[in-house]
Short mmCIF file of all heavy atoms in Angstrom, two decimals:
data_model
loop_
_atom_site.label_atom_id
_atom_site.label_comp_id
_atom_site.label_asym_id
_atom_site.label_seq_id
_atom_site.Cartn_x
_atom_site.Cartn_y
_atom_site.Cartn_z
N THR Z 389 -130.90 14.34 95.55
CA THR Z 389 -129.77 14.75 96.35
C THR Z 389 -130.02 15.02 97.76
O THR Z 389 -129.64 15.93 98.43
CB THR Z 389 -129.15 16.10 95.66
OG1 THR Z 389 -129.23 16.02 94.29
CG2 THR Z 389 -127.71 16.25 96.08
N PHE Z 390 -130.88 14.03 98.31
CA PHE Z 390 -131.13 13.99 99.72
C PHE Z 390 -130.09 13.26 100.55
O PHE Z 390 -129.63 12.27 100.06
CB PHE Z 390 -132.50 13.35 99.99
CG PHE Z 390 -133.74 14.23 99.98
CD1 PHE Z 390 -133.86 15.21 98.93
CD2 PHE Z 390 -134.68 14.10 100.98
CE1 PHE Z 390 -135.00 15.99 98.92
CE2 PHE Z 390 -135.82 14.99 100.90
CZ PHE Z 390 -135.90 15.88 99.91
N PRO Z 391 -129.73 13.72 101.75
CA PRO Z 391 -128.89 12.87 102.60
C PRO Z 391 -129.64 11.55 102.90
O PRO Z 391 -130.83 11.58 103.00
CB PRO Z 391 -128.68 13.75 103.85
CG PRO Z 391 -129.09 15.13 103.45
CD PRO Z 391 -130.09 15.00 102.37
N VAL Z 392 -128.87 10.51 103.25
CA VAL Z 392 -129.51 9.27 103.55
C VAL Z 392 -130.42 9.37 104.76
O VAL Z 392 -131.54 8.83 104.78
CB VAL Z 392 -128.47 8.18 103.91
CG1 VAL Z 392 -129.00 6.98 104.44
CG2 VAL Z 392 -127.62 7.87 102.60
N SER Z 393 -130.10 10.15 105.75
CA SER Z 393 -130.90 10.30 106.97
C SER Z 393 -132.27 10.83 106.64
O SER Z 393 -133.26 10.47 107.20
CB SER Z 393 -130.18 11.18 108.02
OG SER Z 393 -129.95 12.49 107.46
N GLU Z 394 -132.33 11.74 105.70
CA GLU Z 394 -133.59 12.33 105.32
C GLU Z 394 -134.42 11.44 104.44
O GLU Z 394 -135.67 11.51 104.42
CB GLU Z 394 -133.34 13.72 104.71
CG GLU Z 394 -132.62 14.75 105.61
CD GLU Z 394 -132.87 16.15 105.31
OE1 GLU Z 394 -134.00 16.53 104.74
OE2 GLU Z 394 -132.06 16.95 105.71
N ILE Z 395 -133.76 10.64 103.63
CA ILE Z 395 -134.51 9.60 102.86
C ILE Z 395 -135.19 8.67 103.81
O ILE Z 395 -136.39 8.27 103.67
CB ILE Z 395 -133.56 8.83 101.94
CG1 ILE Z 395 -133.11 9.78 100.78
CG2 ILE Z 395 -134.25 7.62 101.32
CD1 ILE Z 395 -132.06 9.17 99.87
N VAL Z 396 -134.49 8.26 104.82
CA VAL Z 396 -135.02 7.20 105.77
C VAL Z 396 -136.18 7.92 106.58
O VAL Z 396 -137.25 7.39 106.81
CB VAL Z 396 -133.95 6.76 106.78
CG1 VAL Z 396 -134.60 5.92 107.89
CG2 VAL Z 396 -132.91 5.98 106.03
N GLU Z 397 -135.99 9.18 107.00
CA GLU Z 397 -137.02 9.89 107.74
C GLU Z 397 -138.33 10.01 106.91
O GLU Z 397 -139.40 9.79 107.38
CB GLU Z 397 -136.51 11.24 108.16
CG GLU Z 397 -137.62 12.08 108.96
CD GLU Z 397 -137.23 13.50 109.25
OE1 GLU Z 397 -136.09 13.92 108.85
OE2 GLU Z 397 -138.02 14.20 109.93
N ALA Z 398 -138.11 10.31 105.60
CA ALA Z 398 -139.28 10.48 104.69
C ALA Z 398 -140.07 9.15 104.55
O ALA Z 398 -141.28 9.16 104.56
CB ALA Z 398 -138.80 10.96 103.37
N GLN Z 399 -139.31 8.04 104.49
CA GLN Z 399 -139.99 6.77 104.47
C GLN Z 399 -140.74 6.48 105.74
O GLN Z 399 -141.87 5.97 105.68
CB GLN Z 399 -138.92 5.64 104.14
CG GLN Z 399 -138.22 5.74 102.86
CD GLN Z 399 -139.09 5.36 101.68
OE1 GLN Z 399 -140.01 4.49 101.87
NE2 GLN Z 399 -138.86 5.87 100.52
N TRP Z 400 -140.16 6.81 106.85
CA TRP Z 400 -140.86 6.56 108.12
C TRP Z 400 -142.12 7.40 108.21
O TRP Z 400 -143.11 6.97 108.74
CB TRP Z 400 -139.87 6.80 109.28
CG TRP Z 400 -138.82 5.78 109.45
CD1 TRP Z 400 -138.71 4.61 108.79
CD2 TRP Z 400 -137.76 5.78 110.45
NE1 TRP Z 400 -137.55 3.94 109.18
CE2 TRP Z 400 -136.97 4.60 110.22
CE3 TRP Z 400 -137.36 6.73 111.36
CZ2 TRP Z 400 -135.83 4.36 110.99
CZ3 TRP Z 400 -136.22 6.41 112.10
CH2 TRP Z 400 -135.46 5.28 111.92
N VAL Z 401 -142.00 8.69 107.90
CA VAL Z 401 -143.12 9.59 107.99
C VAL Z 401 -144.21 9.08 107.11
O VAL Z 401 -145.40 9.08 107.49
CB VAL Z 401 -142.69 11.05 107.68
CG1 VAL Z 401 -143.88 11.92 107.49
CG2 VAL Z 401 -141.78 11.62 108.79
N ALA Z 402 -143.89 8.70 105.86
CA ALA Z 402 -144.92 8.25 104.93
C ALA Z 402 -145.61 7.03 105.55
O ALA Z 402 -146.93 6.95 105.40
CB ALA Z 402 -144.28 7.89 103.61
N GLU Z 403 -144.90 6.10 106.16
CA GLU Z 403 -145.54 4.93 106.69
C GLU Z 403 -146.42 5.30 107.94
O GLU Z 403 -147.57 4.80 108.02
CB GLU Z 403 -144.46 3.90 107.16
CG GLU Z 403 -145.06 2.63 107.66
CD GLU Z 403 -144.00 1.61 108.02
OE1 GLU Z 403 -142.79 1.81 107.70
OE2 GLU Z 403 -144.33 0.59 108.66
N ARG Z 404 -145.91 6.11 108.76
CA ARG Z 404 -146.67 6.49 110.01
C ARG Z 404 -147.95 7.27 109.71
O ARG Z 404 -149.02 7.08 110.35
CB ARG Z 404 -145.82 7.27 111.00
CG ARG Z 404 -144.69 6.47 111.64
CD ARG Z 404 -144.19 7.21 112.86
NE ARG Z 404 -143.77 8.56 112.58
CZ ARG Z 404 -142.52 8.92 112.20
NH1 ARG Z 404 -141.58 7.98 112.20
NH2 ARG Z 404 -142.19 10.19 112.00
N ARG Z 405 -147.90 8.10 108.70
CA ARG Z 405 -149.03 9.03 108.38
C ARG Z 405 -149.90 8.56 107.22
O ARG Z 405 -150.85 9.22 106.87
CB ARG Z 405 -148.49 10.44 108.08
CG ARG Z 405 -147.65 11.02 109.19
CD ARG Z 405 -148.41 11.20 110.46
NE ARG Z 405 -147.73 12.00 111.47
CZ ARG Z 405 -148.03 12.05 112.75
NH1 ARG Z 405 -149.14 11.43 113.08
NH2 ARG Z 405 -147.34 12.74 113.58
N GLY Z 406 -149.55 7.40 106.66
CA GLY Z 406 -150.31 6.92 105.52
C GLY Z 406 -150.21 7.75 104.32
O GLY Z 406 -151.22 8.02 103.62
N LEU Z 407 -149.04 8.28 104.04
CA LEU Z 407 -148.85 9.16 102.89
C LEU Z 407 -148.07 8.47 101.79
O LEU Z 407 -147.43 7.42 102.01
CB LEU Z 407 -148.04 10.41 103.37
CG LEU Z 407 -148.69 11.22 104.45
CD1 LEU Z 407 -147.72 12.32 104.94
CD2 LEU Z 407 -149.96 11.86 103.96
N ALA Z 408 -148.07 9.02 100.60
CA ALA Z 408 -147.29 8.50 99.54
C ALA Z 408 -145.80 8.59 99.87
O ALA Z 408 -145.45 9.59 100.55
CB ALA Z 408 -147.63 9.24 98.22
N ARG Z 409 -145.05 7.64 99.39
CA ARG Z 409 -143.61 7.71 99.75
C ARG Z 409 -142.76 7.93 98.54
O ARG Z 409 -143.15 7.72 97.42
CB ARG Z 409 -143.17 6.41 100.48
CG ARG Z 409 -143.25 5.16 99.57
CD ARG Z 409 -142.94 3.95 100.43
NE ARG Z 409 -142.89 2.71 99.71
CZ ARG Z 409 -141.78 2.20 99.13
NH1 ARG Z 409 -140.70 2.85 99.26
NH2 ARG Z 409 -141.82 1.08 98.51
N PHE Z 410 -141.54 8.42 98.75
CA PHE Z 410 -140.58 8.70 97.67
C PHE Z 410 -140.31 7.31 97.04
O PHE Z 410 -139.89 6.38 97.73
CB PHE Z 410 -139.36 9.30 98.22
CG PHE Z 410 -139.46 10.79 98.56
CD1 PHE Z 410 -138.81 11.34 99.60
CD2 PHE Z 410 -140.26 11.61 97.81
CE1 PHE Z 410 -138.96 12.67 99.97
CE2 PHE Z 410 -140.41 12.98 98.14
CZ PHE Z 410 -139.76 13.48 99.25
N ARG Z 411 -140.41 7.21 95.76
CA ARG Z 411 -140.15 6.00 95.04
C ARG Z 411 -138.77 6.03 94.33
O ARG Z 411 -138.34 5.01 93.84
CB ARG Z 411 -141.21 5.87 93.90
CG ARG Z 411 -142.61 5.61 94.52
CD ARG Z 411 -142.72 4.27 95.18
NE ARG Z 411 -144.04 3.92 95.58
CZ ARG Z 411 -144.49 2.65 95.94
NH1 ARG Z 411 -143.53 1.76 96.07
NH2 ARG Z 411 -145.70 2.45 96.29
N THR Z 412 -138.19 7.23 94.23
CA THR Z 412 -136.90 7.36 93.62
C THR Z 412 -136.03 8.40 94.31
O THR Z 412 -136.53 9.17 95.07
CB THR Z 412 -137.05 7.90 92.15
OG1 THR Z 412 -137.64 9.14 92.16
CG2 THR Z 412 -137.87 6.90 91.36
N GLU Z 413 -134.82 8.30 94.16
CA GLU Z 413 -133.75 9.25 94.60
C GLU Z 413 -132.84 9.59 93.40
O GLU Z 413 -132.53 8.73 92.52
CB GLU Z 413 -132.91 8.69 95.73
CG GLU Z 413 -131.68 9.46 96.06
CD GLU Z 413 -131.78 10.93 96.40
OE1 GLU Z 413 -132.87 11.40 96.66
OE2 GLU Z 413 -130.69 11.62 96.40
N GLN Z 414 -132.37 10.81 93.39
CA GLN Z 414 -131.53 11.27 92.26
C GLN Z 414 -130.26 11.93 92.85
O GLN Z 414 -130.25 13.04 93.16
CB GLN Z 414 -132.28 12.31 91.37
CG GLN Z 414 -131.55 12.66 90.10
CD GLN Z 414 -132.27 13.66 89.27
OE1 GLN Z 414 -131.68 14.61 88.78
NE2 GLN Z 414 -133.57 13.45 89.02
N PRO Z 415 -129.19 11.07 93.05
CA PRO Z 415 -127.98 11.54 93.58
C PRO Z 415 -126.90 11.65 92.49
O PRO Z 415 -127.03 11.08 91.36
CB PRO Z 415 -127.60 10.37 94.53
CG PRO Z 415 -128.07 9.13 93.75
CD PRO Z 415 -129.28 9.60 92.94
N PRO Z 416 -125.80 12.36 92.82
CA PRO Z 416 -124.64 12.35 91.87
C PRO Z 416 -123.88 11.11 91.97
O PRO Z 416 -123.78 10.53 93.04
CB PRO Z 416 -123.83 13.59 92.38
CG PRO Z 416 -124.15 13.67 93.84
CD PRO Z 416 -125.59 13.20 93.98
N TYR Z 417 -123.39 10.60 90.84
CA TYR Z 417 -122.58 9.34 90.89
C TYR Z 417 -121.76 9.27 89.64
O TYR Z 417 -122.24 9.48 88.50
CB TYR Z 417 -123.56 8.11 90.91
CG TYR Z 417 -122.87 6.76 91.04
CD1 TYR Z 417 -121.85 6.55 91.97
CD2 TYR Z 417 -123.20 5.79 90.20
CE1 TYR Z 417 -121.25 5.27 92.13
CE2 TYR Z 417 -122.57 4.54 90.28
CZ TYR Z 417 -121.63 4.28 91.27
OH TYR Z 417 -120.99 3.06 91.39
N SER Z 418 -120.49 8.94 89.85
CA SER Z 418 -119.54 8.77 88.72
C SER Z 418 -118.33 7.98 89.23
O SER Z 418 -118.24 7.72 90.52
CB SER Z 418 -119.18 10.07 88.14
OG SER Z 418 -118.26 10.78 89.02
N ILE Z 419 -117.39 7.77 88.40
CA ILE Z 419 -116.17 7.14 88.89
C ILE Z 419 -115.46 8.01 89.93
O ILE Z 419 -114.84 7.48 90.85
CB ILE Z 419 -115.18 6.82 87.66
CG1 ILE Z 419 -115.78 5.83 86.79
CG2 ILE Z 419 -113.79 6.46 88.15
CD1 ILE Z 419 -114.92 5.57 85.45
N LEU Z 420 -115.57 9.31 89.71
CA LEU Z 420 -114.90 10.23 90.67
C LEU Z 420 -115.72 10.50 91.92
O LEU Z 420 -115.25 11.06 92.87
CB LEU Z 420 -114.57 11.53 90.02
CG LEU Z 420 -113.63 11.47 88.79
CD1 LEU Z 420 -113.37 12.84 88.23
CD2 LEU Z 420 -112.30 10.79 89.17
N ASP Z 421 -117.02 10.26 91.86
CA ASP Z 421 -117.97 10.55 92.97
C ASP Z 421 -118.72 9.29 93.38
O ASP Z 421 -119.87 9.04 92.96
CB ASP Z 421 -118.93 11.60 92.45
CG ASP Z 421 -118.23 12.81 91.85
OD1 ASP Z 421 -117.65 13.58 92.65
OD2 ASP Z 421 -118.31 13.01 90.65
N ARG Z 422 -118.04 8.49 94.17
CA ARG Z 422 -118.53 7.13 94.53
C ARG Z 422 -119.14 7.11 95.95
O ARG Z 422 -119.38 6.00 96.49
CB ARG Z 422 -117.49 6.14 94.36
CG ARG Z 422 -116.93 6.08 92.96
CD ARG Z 422 -115.92 4.94 92.72
NE ARG Z 422 -116.56 3.66 92.94
CZ ARG Z 422 -115.87 2.47 92.73
NH1 ARG Z 422 -114.62 2.45 92.30
NH2 ARG Z 422 -116.49 1.34 92.92
N GLY Z 423 -119.24 8.23 96.55
CA GLY Z 423 -119.72 8.20 98.02
C GLY Z 423 -121.00 7.59 98.21
O GLY Z 423 -121.26 7.00 99.33
N ILE Z 424 -121.93 7.59 97.25
CA ILE Z 424 -123.26 7.00 97.46
C ILE Z 424 -123.18 5.53 97.54
O ILE Z 424 -124.19 4.89 97.96
CB ILE Z 424 -124.20 7.41 96.35
CG1 ILE Z 424 -123.93 6.79 94.99
CG2 ILE Z 424 -124.32 8.98 96.29
CD1 ILE Z 424 -124.98 6.96 93.96
N GLU Z 425 -122.09 4.87 97.13
CA GLU Z 425 -121.97 3.45 97.26
C GLU Z 425 -121.94 3.04 98.79
O GLU Z 425 -122.32 1.85 99.10
CB GLU Z 425 -120.72 2.86 96.56
CG GLU Z 425 -120.72 3.07 95.05
CD GLU Z 425 -119.42 2.73 94.41
OE1 GLU Z 425 -118.38 2.62 95.15
OE2 GLU Z 425 -119.42 2.58 93.20
N PHE Z 426 -121.50 3.88 99.62
CA PHE Z 426 -121.30 3.52 100.96
C PHE Z 426 -122.60 3.31 101.70
O PHE Z 426 -122.70 2.25 102.40
CB PHE Z 426 -120.50 4.68 101.71
CG PHE Z 426 -119.97 4.30 103.09
CD1 PHE Z 426 -118.80 3.54 103.23
CD2 PHE Z 426 -120.67 4.69 104.23
CE1 PHE Z 426 -118.33 3.21 104.44
CE2 PHE Z 426 -120.19 4.39 105.46
CZ PHE Z 426 -119.03 3.65 105.61
N ASP Z 427 -123.62 4.17 101.64
CA ASP Z 427 -124.81 3.90 102.30
C ASP Z 427 -126.04 4.38 101.49
O ASP Z 427 -127.17 3.85 101.69
CB ASP Z 427 -124.85 4.62 103.65
CG ASP Z 427 -124.63 6.13 103.65
OD1 ASP Z 427 -124.38 6.64 102.53
OD2 ASP Z 427 -124.57 6.70 104.75
N MET Z 428 -125.93 5.26 100.59
CA MET Z 428 -127.06 5.75 99.82
C MET Z 428 -127.66 4.58 98.93
O MET Z 428 -128.88 4.31 99.01
CB MET Z 428 -126.71 6.91 98.89
CG MET Z 428 -127.72 7.36 97.93
SD MET Z 428 -129.17 8.06 98.70
CE MET Z 428 -128.47 9.64 99.25
N LEU Z 429 -126.82 3.96 98.10
CA LEU Z 429 -127.38 2.97 97.23
C LEU Z 429 -127.98 1.75 98.03
O LEU Z 429 -129.06 1.21 97.68
CB LEU Z 429 -126.26 2.48 96.24
CG LEU Z 429 -125.93 3.48 95.10
CD1 LEU Z 429 -124.82 3.00 94.23
CD2 LEU Z 429 -127.20 3.74 94.26
N PRO Z 430 -127.26 1.26 99.11
CA PRO Z 430 -127.88 0.23 99.91
C PRO Z 430 -129.20 0.62 100.52
O PRO Z 430 -130.14 -0.15 100.64
CB PRO Z 430 -126.82 -0.13 100.97
CG PRO Z 430 -125.53 0.32 100.36
CD PRO Z 430 -125.88 1.57 99.52
N THR Z 431 -129.31 1.89 100.95
CA THR Z 431 -130.58 2.31 101.52
C THR Z 431 -131.67 2.41 100.50
O THR Z 431 -132.82 1.91 100.78
CB THR Z 431 -130.41 3.79 102.09
OG1 THR Z 431 -129.37 3.69 103.14
CG2 THR Z 431 -131.72 4.30 102.73
N CYS Z 432 -131.37 2.90 99.31
CA CYS Z 432 -132.40 2.92 98.26
C CYS Z 432 -132.83 1.48 97.85
O CYS Z 432 -134.02 1.27 97.65
CB CYS Z 432 -131.87 3.68 97.02
SG CYS Z 432 -131.74 5.42 97.29
N GLU Z 433 -131.91 0.62 97.82
CA GLU Z 433 -132.25 -0.77 97.50
C GLU Z 433 -133.11 -1.47 98.55
O GLU Z 433 -134.08 -2.17 98.29
CB GLU Z 433 -130.99 -1.63 97.32
CG GLU Z 433 -130.18 -1.37 96.05
CD GLU Z 433 -128.99 -2.22 95.88
OE1 GLU Z 433 -129.18 -3.34 95.30
OE2 GLU Z 433 -127.85 -1.84 96.25
N ARG Z 434 -132.90 -1.06 99.86
CA ARG Z 434 -133.66 -1.57 100.97
C ARG Z 434 -135.11 -1.09 100.87
O ARG Z 434 -135.99 -1.85 101.17
CB ARG Z 434 -133.08 -1.06 102.21
CG ARG Z 434 -133.68 -1.71 103.54
CD ARG Z 434 -132.98 -1.26 104.80
NE ARG Z 434 -131.52 -1.42 104.72
CZ ARG Z 434 -130.67 -0.42 104.87
NH1 ARG Z 434 -131.03 0.80 105.05
NH2 ARG Z 434 -129.37 -0.73 104.77
N TYR Z 435 -135.24 0.11 100.41
CA TYR Z 435 -136.65 0.67 100.36
C TYR Z 435 -137.26 0.45 98.98
O TYR Z 435 -138.40 0.96 98.68
CB TYR Z 435 -136.71 2.13 100.63
CG TYR Z 435 -136.50 2.38 102.14
CD1 TYR Z 435 -135.34 2.90 102.64
CD2 TYR Z 435 -137.55 2.05 103.11
CE1 TYR Z 435 -135.20 3.18 104.04
CE2 TYR Z 435 -137.41 2.28 104.43
CZ TYR Z 435 -136.28 2.85 104.96
OH TYR Z 435 -136.05 3.07 106.26
N GLY Z 436 -136.63 -0.24 98.03
CA GLY Z 436 -137.14 -0.47 96.73
C GLY Z 436 -137.26 0.74 95.86
O GLY Z 436 -138.15 0.91 95.01
N MET Z 437 -136.34 1.73 96.06
CA MET Z 437 -136.35 2.97 95.35
C MET Z 437 -135.50 2.88 94.08
O MET Z 437 -134.46 2.38 94.07
CB MET Z 437 -135.80 4.12 96.22
CG MET Z 437 -136.63 4.37 97.47
SD MET Z 437 -135.89 5.59 98.61
CE MET Z 437 -135.92 7.06 97.63
N GLY Z 438 -136.01 3.49 93.01
CA GLY Z 438 -135.23 3.66 91.86
C GLY Z 438 -134.21 4.71 91.99
O GLY Z 438 -134.43 5.68 92.79
N VAL Z 439 -133.08 4.60 91.34
CA VAL Z 439 -132.00 5.58 91.49
C VAL Z 439 -131.64 6.19 90.10
O VAL Z 439 -131.24 5.42 89.18
CB VAL Z 439 -130.74 4.92 92.09
CG1 VAL Z 439 -129.59 6.00 92.24
CG2 VAL Z 439 -131.12 4.42 93.50
N LEU Z 440 -131.84 7.42 89.90
CA LEU Z 440 -131.40 8.18 88.70
C LEU Z 440 -130.28 9.03 89.03
O LEU Z 440 -130.39 9.97 89.70
CB LEU Z 440 -132.62 9.03 88.23
CG LEU Z 440 -134.02 8.59 88.64
CD1 LEU Z 440 -135.06 9.66 88.24
CD2 LEU Z 440 -134.32 7.30 87.91
N VAL Z 441 -129.11 8.61 88.52
CA VAL Z 441 -127.88 9.34 88.93
C VAL Z 441 -127.57 10.47 87.97
O VAL Z 441 -127.71 10.36 86.69
CB VAL Z 441 -126.69 8.33 88.99
CG1 VAL Z 441 -126.88 7.31 90.04
CG2 VAL Z 441 -126.34 7.74 87.64
N TRP Z 442 -127.20 11.64 88.57
CA TRP Z 442 -126.81 12.78 87.73
C TRP Z 442 -125.27 12.97 87.72
O TRP Z 442 -124.63 12.46 88.60
CB TRP Z 442 -127.54 14.07 88.10
CG TRP Z 442 -127.45 14.54 89.49
CD1 TRP Z 442 -128.28 14.29 90.55
CD2 TRP Z 442 -126.49 15.44 90.08
NE1 TRP Z 442 -127.92 14.97 91.67
CE2 TRP Z 442 -126.80 15.68 91.40
CE3 TRP Z 442 -125.33 16.05 89.49
CZ2 TRP Z 442 -126.08 16.50 92.24
CZ3 TRP Z 442 -124.56 16.86 90.37
CH2 TRP Z 442 -124.94 17.10 91.63
N SER Z 443 -124.85 13.66 86.77
CA SER Z 443 -123.42 13.91 86.51
C SER Z 443 -122.58 12.66 86.45
O SER Z 443 -121.54 12.52 87.17
CB SER Z 443 -122.94 14.81 87.62
OG SER Z 443 -121.69 15.45 87.25
N PRO Z 444 -122.94 11.63 85.63
CA PRO Z 444 -122.16 10.46 85.49
C PRO Z 444 -120.74 10.72 84.95
O PRO Z 444 -119.90 9.84 85.05
CB PRO Z 444 -122.99 9.56 84.60
CG PRO Z 444 -123.89 10.51 83.82
CD PRO Z 444 -124.19 11.61 84.75
N LEU Z 445 -120.61 11.86 84.33
CA LEU Z 445 -119.27 12.28 83.79
C LEU Z 445 -118.59 13.27 84.73
O LEU Z 445 -117.66 13.93 84.29
CB LEU Z 445 -119.44 12.83 82.41
CG LEU Z 445 -120.02 11.90 81.31
CD1 LEU Z 445 -120.06 12.57 79.94
CD2 LEU Z 445 -119.11 10.59 81.17
N SER Z 446 -119.16 13.35 85.90
CA SER Z 446 -118.58 14.33 86.91
C SER Z 446 -118.33 15.73 86.34
O SER Z 446 -117.30 16.31 86.28
CB SER Z 446 -117.26 13.79 87.43
OG SER Z 446 -116.82 14.48 88.62
N LYS Z 447 -119.50 16.21 85.83
CA LYS Z 447 -119.62 17.58 85.18
C LYS Z 447 -118.62 17.74 84.01
O LYS Z 447 -118.15 18.83 83.70
CB LYS Z 447 -119.36 18.62 86.22
CG LYS Z 447 -120.41 18.64 87.33
CD LYS Z 447 -120.39 19.97 88.07
CE LYS Z 447 -121.61 20.07 88.99
NZ LYS Z 447 -121.58 18.88 89.94
N GLY Z 448 -118.33 16.62 83.33
CA GLY Z 448 -117.46 16.71 82.13
C GLY Z 448 -116.03 16.38 82.42
O GLY Z 448 -115.20 16.29 81.50
N MET Z 449 -115.64 16.16 83.74
CA MET Z 449 -114.28 15.82 84.05
C MET Z 449 -113.91 14.46 83.34
O MET Z 449 -112.69 14.32 83.00
CB MET Z 449 -114.13 15.67 85.57
CG MET Z 449 -114.13 16.97 86.31
SD MET Z 449 -112.71 17.98 86.07
CE MET Z 449 -111.44 17.16 87.07
N LEU Z 450 -114.82 13.57 83.12
CA LEU Z 450 -114.58 12.29 82.61
C LEU Z 450 -114.78 12.21 81.14
O LEU Z 450 -115.01 11.19 80.57
CB LEU Z 450 -115.42 11.25 83.33
CG LEU Z 450 -115.09 11.02 84.78
CD1 LEU Z 450 -116.11 10.24 85.55
CD2 LEU Z 450 -113.64 10.42 84.92
N THR Z 451 -114.65 13.40 80.42
CA THR Z 451 -114.67 13.39 79.01
C THR Z 451 -113.27 13.31 78.41
O THR Z 451 -113.09 13.07 77.21
CB THR Z 451 -115.33 14.69 78.41
OG1 THR Z 451 -114.58 15.83 78.88
CG2 THR Z 451 -116.80 14.74 78.88
N GLY Z 452 -112.26 13.51 79.20
CA GLY Z 452 -110.87 13.57 78.72
C GLY Z 452 -110.46 14.96 78.32
O GLY Z 452 -109.22 15.17 77.87
N ARG Z 453 -111.32 15.95 78.36
CA ARG Z 453 -110.90 17.33 77.99
C ARG Z 453 -110.13 18.00 79.06
O ARG Z 453 -109.32 18.96 78.81
CB ARG Z 453 -112.17 18.19 77.71
CG ARG Z 453 -113.06 17.81 76.56
CD ARG Z 453 -114.19 18.77 76.44
NE ARG Z 453 -113.65 20.07 76.05
CZ ARG Z 453 -114.41 21.21 76.15
NH1 ARG Z 453 -115.60 21.13 76.63
NH2 ARG Z 453 -113.82 22.36 75.85
N TYR Z 454 -110.11 17.45 80.28
CA TYR Z 454 -109.44 18.09 81.39
C TYR Z 454 -108.23 17.26 81.84
O TYR Z 454 -108.47 16.15 82.32
CB TYR Z 454 -110.47 18.33 82.54
CG TYR Z 454 -111.68 19.16 82.15
CD1 TYR Z 454 -112.74 18.54 81.57
CD2 TYR Z 454 -111.73 20.56 82.25
CE1 TYR Z 454 -113.88 19.26 81.16
CE2 TYR Z 454 -112.71 21.24 81.82
CZ TYR Z 454 -113.90 20.65 81.28
OH TYR Z 454 -114.94 21.41 80.84
N ARG Z 455 -107.10 17.75 81.63
CA ARG Z 455 -105.87 16.95 81.90
C ARG Z 455 -104.90 17.66 82.77
O ARG Z 455 -104.78 18.91 82.81
CB ARG Z 455 -105.15 16.65 80.52
CG ARG Z 455 -106.02 15.92 79.52
CD ARG Z 455 -106.30 14.51 79.97
NE ARG Z 455 -105.10 13.72 80.09
CZ ARG Z 455 -104.52 13.09 79.08
NH1 ARG Z 455 -105.00 13.04 77.93
NH2 ARG Z 455 -103.40 12.33 79.35
N LYS Z 456 -104.17 16.91 83.56
CA LYS Z 456 -103.21 17.46 84.46
C LYS Z 456 -102.08 18.17 83.69
O LYS Z 456 -101.60 17.68 82.70
CB LYS Z 456 -102.67 16.28 85.33
CG LYS Z 456 -101.65 16.84 86.46
CD LYS Z 456 -101.26 15.60 87.24
CE LYS Z 456 -100.38 16.11 88.46
NZ LYS Z 456 -99.94 14.98 89.28
N GLY Z 457 -101.77 19.41 84.09
CA GLY Z 457 -100.70 20.15 83.49
C GLY Z 457 -101.00 20.87 82.28
O GLY Z 457 -100.14 21.42 81.63
N ARG Z 458 -102.33 20.80 81.92
CA ARG Z 458 -102.71 21.51 80.66
C ARG Z 458 -103.72 22.63 81.00
O ARG Z 458 -104.44 22.51 82.03
CB ARG Z 458 -103.40 20.54 79.69
CG ARG Z 458 -102.49 19.40 79.20
CD ARG Z 458 -103.17 18.59 78.24
NE ARG Z 458 -102.49 17.35 77.89
CZ ARG Z 458 -102.82 16.40 77.01
NH1 ARG Z 458 -104.02 16.54 76.40
NH2 ARG Z 458 -102.05 15.42 76.75
N PRO Z 459 -103.74 23.70 80.25
CA PRO Z 459 -104.69 24.76 80.49
C PRO Z 459 -106.16 24.27 80.49
O PRO Z 459 -106.46 23.39 79.68
CB PRO Z 459 -104.39 25.80 79.39
CG PRO Z 459 -103.08 25.42 78.86
CD PRO Z 459 -102.92 23.93 78.99
#
Side-chain angles (χ1 to χ4, degrees):
T389 322
F390 271 44
V392 171
S393 60
E394 299 206 25
I395 290 175
V396 173
E397 181 186 2
Q399 294 287 332
W400 287 355
V401 169
E403 181 177 351
R404 288 198 305 268
R405 301 301 188 191
L407 300 172
R409 65 186 183 91
F410 288 142
R411 295 292 189 166
T412 63
E413 161 60 14
Q414 188 178 133
Y417 183 51
S418 74
I419 292 176
L420 300 180
D421 309 286
R422 302 185 61 176
I424 69 168
E425 294 174 343
F426 192 80
D427 56 1
M428 172 67 72
L429 288 176
T431 298
C432 289
E433 289 184 85
R434 186 177 308 123
Y435 286 111
M437 297 173 67
V439 177
L440 330 173
V441 299
W442 57 266
S443 201
L445 299 179
S446 196
K447 296 199 172 59
M449 288 289 284
L450 293 169
T451 61
R453 294 184 65 197
Y454 304 86
R455 301 292 298 273
K456 188 175 181 180
R458 299 184 187 180

